[in-house]
Amino acid sequence: MSVDSLPYENDKEMFKHVVCVFVGKDRVYTERILKACGLRTLQGITNLIDMCLLTIEGKNQLQMHQLLQDKGRDVVRQESPDKPWKRSLLWCHEDSFNVLEQNKACKLMSVDSLPYENDKEMFKHVVCVFVGKDRVYTERILKACGLRTLQGITNLIDMCLLTIEGKNQLQMHQLLQDKGRDVVRQESPDKPWKRSLLWCHEDSFNVLEQNKVPILKERMEICELAQ
């Protein structure tokens, strides 16, 4: 099996994304996500169905035979067997953690890679303030900030950036949280008052000492609500 045997580049990318991430997902949801990534989703999924590589079952869910999915994932894995950060897609937690531990996340992870502005903001708020917080509580706070929280958290979970554990608490791997916070920190490494969010007391005190409180006011209110 070779992805290169698919006749169109769009179909190749659709196939790789489906086998790695979207098997079992709702068709409309998948089309919406991948369309935002620049793929022609309606035609792509139709072509994969016509080639018997994909079926639609149950409640409009994308499905394929397990052996076919395994073979498809192996195609992606062979893009770089020993260096997962060089692959076009990751789906295995072990490989993802390896990338984070090897400090290769800069090549893999960018808030800008999230397809929707709402998801980008949700991700930044969660990594900076809401890890370990109750999901309902978090949704209530961030909804008041104008974010579409229910869909945003669902999208982050589907992209394996977030999990719900224990008593409905938002959780993510510490390395992923650290990398996410670093993304925010790099918005303005030397001037924390110019960052979109603050979570570190030292940075907050620095802002206060620099008399940048008006810039920080809204961000501090969010963090205070989360305490």
Side-chain angles (χ1 to χ4, degrees):
M1 177 181 178
S2 172
V3 175
D4 292 333
S5 65
L6 296 174
Y8 302 107
E9 191 64 33
N10 184 76
D11 294 349
K12 297 174 186 178
E13 290 302 313
M14 283 292 302
F15 178 75
K16 290 196 295 183
H17 278 81
V18 170
V19 298
C20 291
V21 182
F22 292 100
V23 170
K25 303 297 184 185
D26 177 75
R27 176 175 181 168
V28 175
Y29 168 78
T30 301
E31 289 177 347
R32 180 164 56 86
I33 294 292
L34 294 183
K35 183 178 180 180
C37 297
L39 296 177
R40 299 188 303 279
T41 54
L42 180 60
Q43 188 60 54
I45 288 179
T46 300
N47 289 349
L48 295 181
I49 292 172
D50 289 344
M51 289 183 280
C52 300
L53 296 174
L54 189 65
T55 60
I56 305 297
E57 300 179 12
K59 297 181 179 180
N60 206 32
Q61 294 174 319
L62 304 183
Q63 296 292 349
M64 65 173 57
H65 194 281
Q66 185 64 54
L67 288 175
L68 182 58
Q69 183 181 16
D70 291 343
K71 290 293 184 182
R73 287 183 168 184
D74 191 59
V75 168
V76 177
R77 190 179 292 109
Q78 292 307 313
E79 293 174 353
S80 181
D82 302 321
K83 298 178 179 179
W85 55 87
K86 290 189 175 183
R87 299 174 197 162
S88 57
L89 289 160
L90 292 180
W91 64 93
C92 172
H93 287 171
E94 182 178 350
D95 286 337
S96 300
F97 295 155
N98 183 19
V99 169
L100 291 168
E101 289 171 348
Q102 294 293 324
N103 199 29
K104 301 294 184 179
C106 56
K107 298 181 180 181
L108 173 72
M109 177 184 172
S110 170
V111 174
D112 292 333
S113 67
L114 296 174
Y116 300 107
E117 192 64 34
N118 184 75
D119 294 350
K120 297 174 186 177
E121 291 303 313
M122 284 293 302
F123 178 75
K124 290 196 294 184
H125 278 81
V126 169
V127 298
C128 291
V129 182
F130 292 99
V131 170
K133 304 297 184 184
D134 177 74
R135 176 175 181 168
V136 175
Y137 169 76
T138 301
E139 289 177 348
R140 180 167 56 84
I141 295 294
L142 294 183
K143 184 177 181 180
C145 297
L147 296 177
R148 299 187 303 279
T149 54
L150 179 60
Q151 188 60 56
I153 288 179
T154 299
N155 289 349
L156 295 181
I157 292 171
D158 287 342
M159 288 183 279
C160 300
L161 296 174
L162 189 65
T163 59
I164 305 298
E165 300 179 13
K167 296 182 178 180
N168 206 32
Q169 293 175 320
L170 305 183
Q171 297 292 348
M172 64 173 58
H173 194 279
Q174 184 63 53
L175 288 172
L176 181 57
Q177 183 181 16
D178 291 344
K179 291 297 180 182
R181 286 183 168 185
D182 191 59
V183 168
V184 177
R185 189 178 291 110
Q186 292 307 312
E187 292 174 354
S188 181
D190 302 321
K191 298 178 180 179
W193 56 87
K194 290 189 175 183
R195 299 174 197 161
S196 56
L197 288 160
L198 293 180
W199 63 93
C200 173
H201 287 170
E202 182 179 350
D203 286 336
S204 300
F205 294 153
N206 184 15
V207 170
L208 291 169
E209 290 173 350
Q210 295 293 325
N211 198 27
K212 302 293 183 178
V213 179
I215 300 175
L216 182 63
K217 183 178 179 182
E218 181 180 351
R219 300 165 198 170
M220 288 186 67
E221 288 174 351
I222 294 173
C223 294
E224 287 171 358
L225 287 171
Q227 298 303 317

